[in-house]
Amino acid sequence: KACSAVPVASSARAMADSSCLLEWHPYAKDRTMGLNHQLASLSCALAEAHHLGRTLVLPPSMCLFGLHTERWSGSDAPGGRCVPMGDLFDLELLSRLVPVVLGPIENRTSPQQLRGAVDVRRGLKSAEVASQHPCARAPVVRRRVDNFWFTMCSKRIADSDSIMGALHA
């Protein structure tokens, strides 16, 4: 079975506390792109959650902009299509590497945790987020981006080295 090739994360970092969350809040620009683009952004969010030792809050669905779907056969009208994350990914298997839960975040946290949420500015590197916003003080971190989410990794703002180390261990 192909799934057996996925490593089981054994480090404390990868076994994130489910009350310590990273909100994946991309979507203003990513949402208008195709599936490959959105998967690149998702991989960056997973990498940062792994580095921070946080559970990644995923949106309940992934949507494709209408221009990417209107040419599909059987499409009776132009417009976007949304697919539940659980239909796209085996979330249990994905959580073996990086713990994930489905949002919205308000369904996953108490009002007190939401009041303690921290919006992280775009230029703050993952190591700085970890040191400035530990889980005990900031149970919820919201990484906000002005551009595409995957650029956080391509510009080396979000750390992807720790997840790569876990994958190649």
Side-chain angles (χ1 to χ4, degrees):
K1 191 173 176 183
C3 294
S4 63
V6 175
V8 176
S10 59
S11 70
R13 172 180 291 167
M15 305 312 279
D17 179 351
S18 63
S19 65
C20 188
L21 304 171
L22 172 66
E23 184 180 18
W24 184 39
H25 193 79
Y27 260 55
K29 291 188 178 188
D30 286 292
R31 186 178 179 131
T32 63
M33 304 311 275
L35 185 59
N36 286 340
H37 176 104
Q38 290 191 52
L39 291 176
S41 291
L42 173 60
S43 68
C44 184
L46 288 165
E48 182 157 52
H50 185 274
H51 179 83
L52 297 175
R54 291 178 176 266
T55 297
L56 181 62
V57 180
L58 296 172
S61 60
M62 186 173 278
C63 301
L64 298 177
F65 188 58
L67 292 176
H68 293 279
T69 63
E70 63 188 22
R71 64 182 174 266
W72 292 352
S73 65
S75 179
D76 52 359
R81 300 248 176 126
C82 297
V83 178
M85 282 287 196
D87 290 352
L88 285 173
F89 304 103
D90 182 335
L91 298 177
E92 185 177 330
L93 184 62
L94 185 59
S95 287
R96 291 173 68 187
L97 183 61
V98 177
V100 296
V101 294
L102 294 178
I105 199 164
E106 292 77 12
N107 294 349
R108 296 283 171 192
T109 58
S110 69
Q112 181 180 11
Q113 285 176 306
L114 280 178
R115 280 192 298 277
V118 173
D119 284 344
V120 174
R121 59 185 163 76
R122 62 185 170 146
L124 199 63
K125 294 188 175 203
S126 295
E128 296 167 312
V129 173
S131 67
Q132 293 177 23
H133 305 294
C135 194
R137 288 196 319 250
V140 177
V141 167
R142 291 181 171 133
R143 171 71 85 172
R144 304 292 187 194
V145 297
D146 296 329
N147 205 342
F148 300 124
W149 234 96
F150 73 85
T151 61
M152 300 300 290
C153 285
S154 64
K155 292 181 179 178
R156 308 214 32 97
I157 295 168
D159 187 296
S160 59
D161 292 341
S162 68
I163 199 168
M164 294 306 292
L167 287 169
H168 296 291

